[in-house]
Amino acid sequence: MAELHMVEAINLALAHALEHDPDVVLLGEDIGLNGGVFRSTVGLQGRFGEARVLDTPLAEGGIVGAAIGMAAMGLKPVAEIQFAGFIYPAIDNILNHAGHLRHRTRGRLSCPLVVRAPSGAGIHAPEHHSESPEALFAHIPGLRVVMPSSPARAYGLLLAAIRDPDPVIFFEPTRLYRMFRQEVEDNGEALPLDACFTLRDGTDITLVSWGAMVRETLAAADALAEDGISATVIDVATLKPLDMETILEAVAQTSRCVIVHEAPRTAGVGAEIAANLAEAGLYSLSAPVQRVTGYDTVVPLARLEHSYLPSVQRIVDAARRALDAA
């Protein structure tokens, strides 16, 4: 079993989908000849041909618009946006067409579309390249929003997204592309969408996160363990729809919760999770839910970038606040 970086696991999943399903088509800027800006599609055009892996003009609205037409006619397009910061010209097509197609045709048409986009800070990219806009898309009806946190989950969740009959926004944490390797078996097995992954079971506190911040969250759990504090760690993975049942069950066992995400604090997905805990799990809580997030500001450039990202220490401090509450 090969040990792969996340970007390699994504390439492997795309290759498996192309090989085993003739309806799968990839399209995006520079994804064919050059293999993509992060090389996530390297070698695929040579292997599967220009009719299956299409280089497009620099026009995100056109890329997604064309992909929606392909999906409506029975193909399974996977559209790549080079950076999440460039996805905004495509929102009209994503919101008004991809998300509404099944409804507006009364079920006659579906939209089995995946829009892939690298997201998040941590690679010293220039402006418009470091956003974490998952909450914006989670608010759009008709979409699934997925963000993996490891190579193996990227492989399995991407296959599941491609096989889903409805549109999926698939955010890939840029910082994780080549951060670490993990064993990934190319077996074609999809992981479940709409489900959290419990990465560690504990008894004292529940730490909830997704995407790149899962790394810091696991490190915070290790730091707490050195002081005898046992933490459950949950990777949300699918941000829309939320698997609140898993989170509620974990909080019922630990009675305390910290939610960690890189995106800005206001109206983030963490606020939605906290609201659900207040509505359905209030009597399980022994302390207020804590949130550790990015700030309500533009992600700063390289020198201050890591000051913006939630740190292990910030997560540990939030956990201690929850544990010290009466």
PDB file of all heavy atoms in Angstrom, residues 47-79:
ATOM      1  N   ARG A  47      -2.975  10.039 -20.027  1.00  0.00           N
ATOM      2  CA  ARG A  47      -3.493   8.684 -19.834  1.00  0.00           C
ATOM      3  C   ARG A  47      -4.891   8.516 -20.394  1.00  0.00           C
ATOM      4  O   ARG A  47      -5.207   7.472 -20.984  1.00  0.00           O
ATOM      5  CB  ARG A  47      -3.474   8.360 -18.346  1.00  0.00           C
ATOM      6  CG  ARG A  47      -3.961   6.975 -17.982  1.00  0.00           C
ATOM      7  CD  ARG A  47      -3.783   6.743 -16.498  1.00  0.00           C
ATOM      8  NE  ARG A  47      -4.421   5.509 -16.054  1.00  0.00           N
ATOM      9  CZ  ARG A  47      -4.519   5.129 -14.783  1.00  0.00           C
ATOM     10  NH1 ARG A  47      -3.978   5.886 -13.838  1.00  0.00           N
ATOM     11  NH2 ARG A  47      -5.124   3.995 -14.464  1.00  0.00           N
ATOM     12  N   PHE A  48      -5.754   9.543 -20.244  1.00  0.00           N
ATOM     13  CA  PHE A  48      -7.162   9.396 -20.595  1.00  0.00           C
ATOM     14  C   PHE A  48      -7.600  10.250 -21.780  1.00  0.00           C
ATOM     15  O   PHE A  48      -8.730  10.104 -22.244  1.00  0.00           O
ATOM     16  CB  PHE A  48      -8.037   9.720 -19.381  1.00  0.00           C
ATOM     17  CG  PHE A  48      -7.834   8.783 -18.225  1.00  0.00           C
ATOM     18  CD1 PHE A  48      -7.052   9.145 -17.147  1.00  0.00           C
ATOM     19  CD2 PHE A  48      -8.406   7.517 -18.233  1.00  0.00           C
ATOM     20  CE1 PHE A  48      -6.852   8.282 -16.086  1.00  0.00           C
ATOM     21  CE2 PHE A  48      -8.216   6.639 -17.174  1.00  0.00           C
ATOM     22  CZ  PHE A  48      -7.423   7.019 -16.093  1.00  0.00           C
ATOM     23  N   GLY A  49      -6.730  11.129 -22.252  1.00  0.00           N
ATOM     24  CA  GLY A  49      -7.034  11.880 -23.459  1.00  0.00           C
ATOM     25  C   GLY A  49      -7.651  13.232 -23.210  1.00  0.00           C
ATOM     26  O   GLY A  49      -8.201  13.516 -22.131  1.00  0.00           O
ATOM     27  N   GLU A  50      -7.582  14.086 -24.239  1.00  0.00           N
ATOM     28  CA  GLU A  50      -8.069  15.460 -24.129  1.00  0.00           C
ATOM     29  C   GLU A  50      -9.591  15.543 -24.050  1.00  0.00           C
ATOM     30  O   GLU A  50     -10.125  16.574 -23.624  1.00  0.00           O
ATOM     31  CB  GLU A  50      -7.563  16.279 -25.316  1.00  0.00           C
ATOM     32  CG  GLU A  50      -6.056  16.439 -25.347  1.00  0.00           C
ATOM     33  CD  GLU A  50      -5.582  17.283 -26.509  1.00  0.00           C
ATOM     34  OE1 GLU A  50      -6.438  17.873 -27.206  1.00  0.00           O
ATOM     35  OE2 GLU A  50      -4.357  17.364 -26.722  1.00  0.00           O
ATOM     36  N   ALA A  51     -10.294  14.509 -24.455  1.00  0.00           N
ATOM     37  CA  ALA A  51     -11.751  14.525 -24.364  1.00  0.00           C
ATOM     38  C   ALA A  51     -12.249  14.245 -22.951  1.00  0.00           C
ATOM     39  O   ALA A  51     -13.404  14.537 -22.628  1.00  0.00           O
ATOM     40  CB  ALA A  51     -12.357  13.493 -25.323  1.00  0.00           C
ATOM     41  N   ARG A  52     -11.381  13.702 -22.102  1.00  0.00           N
ATOM     42  CA  ARG A  52     -11.767  13.385 -20.721  1.00  0.00           C
ATOM     43  C   ARG A  52     -11.160  14.361 -19.722  1.00  0.00           C
ATOM     44  O   ARG A  52     -11.702  14.535 -18.620  1.00  0.00           O
ATOM     45  CB  ARG A  52     -11.314  11.966 -20.344  1.00  0.00           C
ATOM     46  CG  ARG A  52     -11.821  10.843 -21.244  1.00  0.00           C
ATOM     47  CD  ARG A  52     -13.265  10.502 -20.999  1.00  0.00           C
ATOM     48  NE  ARG A  52     -13.597  10.163 -19.630  1.00  0.00           N
ATOM     49  CZ  ARG A  52     -13.303   8.984 -19.043  1.00  0.00           C
ATOM     50  NH1 ARG A  52     -12.646   8.035 -19.703  1.00  0.00           N
ATOM     51  NH2 ARG A  52     -13.685   8.757 -17.796  1.00  0.00           N
ATOM     52  N   VAL A  53     -10.039  14.972 -20.080  1.00  0.00           N
ATOM     53  CA  VAL A  53      -9.354  15.924 -19.190  1.00  0.00           C
ATOM     54  C   VAL A  53      -9.135  17.190 -20.003  1.00  0.00           C
ATOM     55  O   VAL A  53      -8.219  17.281 -20.807  1.00  0.00           O
ATOM     56  CB  VAL A  53      -8.028  15.357 -18.657  1.00  0.00           C
ATOM     57  CG1 VAL A  53      -7.380  16.335 -17.677  1.00  0.00           C
ATOM     58  CG2 VAL A  53      -8.239  14.002 -17.994  1.00  0.00           C
ATOM     59  N   LEU A  54      -9.992  18.178 -19.791  1.00  0.00           N
ATOM     60  CA  LEU A  54     -10.078  19.341 -20.678  1.00  0.00           C
ATOM     61  C   LEU A  54      -9.429  20.572 -20.058  1.00  0.00           C
ATOM     62  O   LEU A  54      -9.773  20.974 -18.937  1.00  0.00           O
ATOM     63  CB  LEU A  54     -11.546  19.684 -20.978  1.00  0.00           C
ATOM     64  CG  LEU A  54     -12.389  18.742 -21.823  1.00  0.00           C
ATOM     65  CD1 LEU A  54     -12.791  17.498 -21.048  1.00  0.00           C
ATOM     66  CD2 LEU A  54     -13.636  19.465 -22.306  1.00  0.00           C
ATOM     67  N   ASP A  55      -8.515  21.186 -20.785  1.00  0.00           N
ATOM     68  CA  ASP A  55      -8.018  22.510 -20.419  1.00  0.00           C
ATOM     69  C   ASP A  55      -9.030  23.559 -20.859  1.00  0.00           C
ATOM     70  O   ASP A  55      -9.557  23.509 -21.977  1.00  0.00           O
ATOM     71  CB  ASP A  55      -6.673  22.780 -21.096  1.00  0.00           C
ATOM     72  CG  ASP A  55      -5.518  22.084 -20.389  1.00  0.00           C
ATOM     73  OD1 ASP A  55      -5.470  22.151 -19.151  1.00  0.00           O
ATOM     74  OD2 ASP A  55      -4.662  21.491 -21.087  1.00  0.00           O
ATOM     75  N   THR A  56      -9.304  24.506 -19.986  1.00  0.00           N
ATOM     76  CA  THR A  56     -10.324  25.515 -20.261  1.00  0.00           C
ATOM     77  C   THR A  56      -9.695  26.910 -20.278  1.00  0.00           C
ATOM     78  O   THR A  56      -8.589  27.108 -19.777  1.00  0.00           O
ATOM     79  CB  THR A  56     -11.415  25.500 -19.176  1.00  0.00           C
ATOM     80  OG1 THR A  56     -10.843  25.999 -17.951  1.00  0.00           O
ATOM     81  CG2 THR A  56     -11.965  24.111 -18.961  1.00  0.00           C
ATOM     82  N   PRO A  57     -10.416  27.893 -20.804  1.00  0.00           N
ATOM     83  CA  PRO A  57      -9.985  29.281 -20.634  1.00  0.00           C
ATOM     84  C   PRO A  57     -10.046  29.694 -19.164  1.00  0.00           C
ATOM     85  O   PRO A  57     -10.653  29.018 -18.335  1.00  0.00           O
ATOM     86  CB  PRO A  57     -11.008  30.081 -21.459  1.00  0.00           C
ATOM     87  CG  PRO A  57     -11.619  29.088 -22.380  1.00  0.00           C
ATOM     88  CD  PRO A  57     -11.604  27.776 -21.651  1.00  0.00           C
ATOM     89  N   LEU A  58      -9.430  30.832 -18.876  1.00  0.00           N
ATOM     90  CA  LEU A  58      -9.446  31.374 -17.522  1.00  0.00           C
ATOM     91  C   LEU A  58     -10.791  32.068 -17.314  1.00  0.00           C
ATOM     92  O   LEU A  58     -10.936  33.261 -17.534  1.00  0.00           O
ATOM     93  CB  LEU A  58      -8.281  32.354 -17.341  1.00  0.00           C
ATOM     94  CG  LEU A  58      -7.843  32.704 -15.925  1.00  0.00           C
ATOM     95  CD1 LEU A  58      -6.444  33.286 -15.934  1.00  0.00           C
ATOM     96  CD2 LEU A  58      -8.818  33.689 -15.283  1.00  0.00           C
ATOM     97  N   ALA A  59     -11.793  31.290 -16.925  1.00  0.00           N
ATOM     98  CA  ALA A  59     -13.159  31.812 -16.791  1.00  0.00           C
ATOM     99  C   ALA A  59     -13.937  30.884 -15.873  1.00  0.00           C
ATOM    100  O   ALA A  59     -14.580  29.936 -16.328  1.00  0.00           O
ATOM    101  CB  ALA A  59     -13.832  31.914 -18.164  1.00  0.00           C
ATOM    102  N   GLU A  60     -13.867  31.165 -14.565  1.00  0.00           N
ATOM    103  CA  GLU A  60     -14.473  30.259 -13.593  1.00  0.00           C
ATOM    104  C   GLU A  60     -15.982  30.109 -13.790  1.00  0.00           C
ATOM    105  O   GLU A  60     -16.522  29.005 -13.650  1.00  0.00           O
ATOM    106  CB  GLU A  60     -14.169  30.738 -12.174  1.00  0.00           C
ATOM    107  CG  GLU A  60     -12.730  30.513 -11.731  1.00  0.00           C
ATOM    108  CD  GLU A  60     -11.761  31.544 -12.308  1.00  0.00           C
ATOM    109  OE1 GLU A  60     -12.239  32.571 -12.836  1.00  0.00           O
ATOM    110  OE2 GLU A  60     -10.542  31.317 -12.230  1.00  0.00           O
ATOM    111  N   GLY A  61     -16.661  31.201 -14.118  1.00  0.00           N
ATOM    112  CA  GLY A  61     -18.095  31.098 -14.378  1.00  0.00           C
ATOM    113  C   GLY A  61     -18.384  30.201 -15.562  1.00  0.00           C
ATOM    114  O   GLY A  61     -19.339  29.411 -15.547  1.00  0.00           O
ATOM    115  N   GLY A  62     -17.546  30.289 -16.589  1.00  0.00           N
ATOM    116  CA  GLY A  62     -17.717  29.438 -17.760  1.00  0.00           C
ATOM    117  C   GLY A  62     -17.406  27.985 -17.469  1.00  0.00           C
ATOM    118  O   GLY A  62     -18.086  27.075 -17.972  1.00  0.00           O
ATOM    119  N   ILE A  63     -16.366  27.743 -16.665  1.00  0.00           N
ATOM    120  CA  ILE A  63     -16.006  26.366 -16.303  1.00  0.00           C
ATOM    121  C   ILE A  63     -17.169  25.677 -15.601  1.00  0.00           C
ATOM    122  O   ILE A  63     -17.590  24.574 -15.978  1.00  0.00           O
ATOM    123  CB  ILE A  63     -14.757  26.357 -15.400  1.00  0.00           C
ATOM    124  CG1 ILE A  63     -13.528  26.835 -16.173  1.00  0.00           C
ATOM    125  CG2 ILE A  63     -14.507  24.963 -14.821  1.00  0.00           C
ATOM    126  CD1 ILE A  63     -12.334  27.139 -15.290  1.00  0.00           C
ATOM    127  N   VAL A  64     -17.714  26.335 -14.577  1.00  0.00           N
ATOM    128  CA  VAL A  64     -18.799  25.719 -13.813  1.00  0.00           C
ATOM    129  C   VAL A  64     -20.085  25.683 -14.634  1.00  0.00           C
ATOM    130  O   VAL A  64     -20.835  24.705 -14.576  1.00  0.00           O
ATOM    131  CB  VAL A  64     -19.004  26.458 -12.482  1.00  0.00           C
ATOM    132  CG1 VAL A  64     -20.216  25.918 -11.742  1.00  0.00           C
ATOM    133  CG2 VAL A  64     -17.762  26.322 -11.607  1.00  0.00           C
ATOM    134  N   GLY A  65     -20.339  26.720 -15.427  1.00  0.00           N
ATOM    135  CA  GLY A  65     -21.529  26.711 -16.270  1.00  0.00           C
ATOM    136  C   GLY A  65     -21.511  25.557 -17.258  1.00  0.00           C
ATOM    137  O   GLY A  65     -22.522  24.857 -17.440  1.00  0.00           O
ATOM    138  N   ALA A  66     -20.355  25.346 -17.905  1.00  0.00           N
ATOM    139  CA  ALA A  66     -20.233  24.219 -18.838  1.00  0.00           C
ATOM    140  C   ALA A  66     -20.392  22.889 -18.108  1.00  0.00           C
ATOM    141  O   ALA A  66     -21.031  21.958 -18.610  1.00  0.00           O
ATOM    142  CB  ALA A  66     -18.883  24.278 -19.549  1.00  0.00           C
ATOM    143  N   ALA A  67     -19.818  22.805 -16.903  1.00  0.00           N
ATOM    144  CA  ALA A  67     -19.908  21.562 -16.143  1.00  0.00           C
ATOM    145  C   ALA A  67     -21.345  21.261 -15.744  1.00  0.00           C
ATOM    146  O   ALA A  67     -21.763  20.091 -15.742  1.00  0.00           O
ATOM    147  CB  ALA A  67     -19.018  21.650 -14.902  1.00  0.00           C
ATOM    148  N   ILE A  68     -22.132  22.287 -15.415  1.00  0.00           N
ATOM    149  CA  ILE A  68     -23.542  22.058 -15.078  1.00  0.00           C
ATOM    150  C   ILE A  68     -24.292  21.514 -16.287  1.00  0.00           C
ATOM    151  O   ILE A  68     -25.109  20.586 -16.164  1.00  0.00           O
ATOM    152  CB  ILE A  68     -24.185  23.363 -14.563  1.00  0.00           C
ATOM    153  CG1 ILE A  68     -23.583  23.755 -13.222  1.00  0.00           C
ATOM    154  CG2 ILE A  68     -25.704  23.214 -14.441  1.00  0.00           C
ATOM    155  CD1 ILE A  68     -23.932  25.146 -12.767  1.00  0.00           C
ATOM    156  N   GLY A  69     -24.024  22.054 -17.460  1.00  0.00           N
ATOM    157  CA  GLY A  69     -24.641  21.523 -18.674  1.00  0.00           C
ATOM    158  C   GLY A  69     -24.262  20.076 -18.919  1.00  0.00           C
ATOM    159  O   GLY A  69     -25.113  19.252 -19.291  1.00  0.00           O
ATOM    160  N   MET A  70     -22.992  19.742 -18.716  1.00  0.00           N
ATOM    161  CA  MET A  70     -22.553  18.350 -18.854  1.00  0.00           C
ATOM    162  C   MET A  70     -23.296  17.445 -17.873  1.00  0.00           C
ATOM    163  O   MET A  70     -23.759  16.355 -18.237  1.00  0.00           O
ATOM    164  CB  MET A  70     -21.044  18.255 -18.595  1.00  0.00           C
ATOM    165  CG  MET A  70     -20.168  18.937 -19.613  1.00  0.00           C
ATOM    166  SD  MET A  70     -18.433  18.825 -19.089  1.00  0.00           S
ATOM    167  CE  MET A  70     -17.634  19.660 -20.454  1.00  0.00           C
ATOM    168  N   ALA A  71     -23.398  17.907 -16.615  1.00  0.00           N
ATOM    169  CA  ALA A  71     -24.063  17.098 -15.593  1.00  0.00           C
ATOM    170  C   ALA A  71     -25.531  16.882 -15.920  1.00  0.00           C
ATOM    171  O   ALA A  71     -26.073  15.781 -15.738  1.00  0.00           O
ATOM    172  CB  ALA A  71     -23.909  17.770 -14.228  1.00  0.00           C
ATOM    173  N   ALA A  72     -26.193  17.928 -16.417  1.00  0.00           N
ATOM    174  CA  ALA A  72     -27.616  17.804 -16.751  1.00  0.00           C
ATOM    175  C   ALA A  72     -27.849  16.795 -17.861  1.00  0.00           C
ATOM    176  O   ALA A  72     -28.917  16.179 -17.937  1.00  0.00           O
ATOM    177  CB  ALA A  72     -28.171  19.170 -17.162  1.00  0.00           C
ATOM    178  N   MET A  73     -26.833  16.615 -18.710  1.00  0.00           N
ATOM    179  CA  MET A  73     -26.958  15.690 -19.825  1.00  0.00           C
ATOM    180  C   MET A  73     -26.377  14.308 -19.550  1.00  0.00           C
ATOM    181  O   MET A  73     -26.211  13.496 -20.456  1.00  0.00           O
ATOM    182  CB  MET A  73     -26.290  16.291 -21.073  1.00  0.00           C
ATOM    183  CG  MET A  73     -27.002  17.535 -21.594  1.00  0.00           C
ATOM    184  SD  MET A  73     -28.688  17.189 -22.202  1.00  0.00           S
ATOM    185  CE  MET A  73     -29.689  17.749 -20.806  1.00  0.00           C
ATOM    186  N   GLY A  74     -26.042  14.040 -18.269  1.00  0.00           N
ATOM    187  CA  GLY A  74     -25.680  12.678 -17.898  1.00  0.00           C
ATOM    188  C   GLY A  74     -24.221  12.422 -17.611  1.00  0.00           C
ATOM    189  O   GLY A  74     -23.872  11.317 -17.178  1.00  0.00           O
ATOM    190  N   LEU A  75     -23.358  13.403 -17.859  1.00  0.00           N
ATOM    191  CA  LEU A  75     -21.954  13.218 -17.511  1.00  0.00           C
ATOM    192  C   LEU A  75     -21.747  13.487 -16.025  1.00  0.00           C
ATOM    193  O   LEU A  75     -22.648  13.949 -15.322  1.00  0.00           O
ATOM    194  CB  LEU A  75     -21.077  14.141 -18.354  1.00  0.00           C
ATOM    195  CG  LEU A  75     -21.075  13.878 -19.866  1.00  0.00           C
ATOM    196  CD1 LEU A  75     -20.234  14.915 -20.593  1.00  0.00           C
ATOM    197  CD2 LEU A  75     -20.566  12.472 -20.172  1.00  0.00           C
ATOM    198  N   LYS A  76     -20.534  13.198 -15.550  1.00  0.00           N
ATOM    199  CA  LYS A  76     -20.168  13.451 -14.154  1.00  0.00           C
ATOM    200  C   LYS A  76     -18.924  14.329 -14.137  1.00  0.00           C
ATOM    201  O   LYS A  76     -17.809  13.839 -13.929  1.00  0.00           O
ATOM    202  CB  LYS A  76     -19.934  12.136 -13.404  1.00  0.00           C
ATOM    203  CG  LYS A  76     -21.162  11.239 -13.343  1.00  0.00           C
ATOM    204  CD  LYS A  76     -20.854   9.907 -12.680  1.00  0.00           C
ATOM    205  CE  LYS A  76     -22.074   8.992 -12.701  1.00  0.00           C
ATOM    206  NZ  LYS A  76     -21.766   7.649 -12.124  1.00  0.00           N
ATOM    207  N   PRO A  77     -19.106  15.615 -14.357  1.00  0.00           N
ATOM    208  CA  PRO A  77     -17.949  16.503 -14.457  1.00  0.00           C
ATOM    209  C   PRO A  77     -17.341  16.821 -13.098  1.00  0.00           C
ATOM    210  O   PRO A  77     -18.044  16.966 -12.099  1.00  0.00           O
ATOM    211  CB  PRO A  77     -18.537  17.765 -15.099  1.00  0.00           C
ATOM    212  CG  PRO A  77     -19.969  17.745 -14.694  1.00  0.00           C
ATOM    213  CD  PRO A  77     -20.367  16.298 -14.631  1.00  0.00           C
ATOM    214  N   VAL A  78     -16.018  16.930 -13.097  1.00  0.00           N
ATOM    215  CA  VAL A  78     -15.270  17.388 -11.930  1.00  0.00           C
ATOM    216  C   VAL A  78     -14.535  18.645 -12.366  1.00  0.00           C
ATOM    217  O   VAL A  78     -13.580  18.577 -13.144  1.00  0.00           O
ATOM    218  CB  VAL A  78     -14.286  16.327 -11.429  1.00  0.00           C
ATOM    219  CG1 VAL A  78     -13.550  16.824 -10.184  1.00  0.00           C
ATOM    220  CG2 VAL A  78     -15.003  15.009 -11.134  1.00  0.00           C
ATOM    221  N   ALA A  79     -15.001  19.785 -11.899  1.00  0.00           N
ATOM    222  CA  ALA A  79     -14.439  21.071 -12.301  1.00  0.00           C
ATOM    223  C   ALA A  79     -13.448  21.544 -11.247  1.00  0.00           C
ATOM    224  O   ALA A  79     -13.753  21.532 -10.050  1.00  0.00           O
ATOM    225  CB  ALA A  79     -15.552  22.111 -12.472  1.00  0.00           C
TER     226      ALA A  79
END
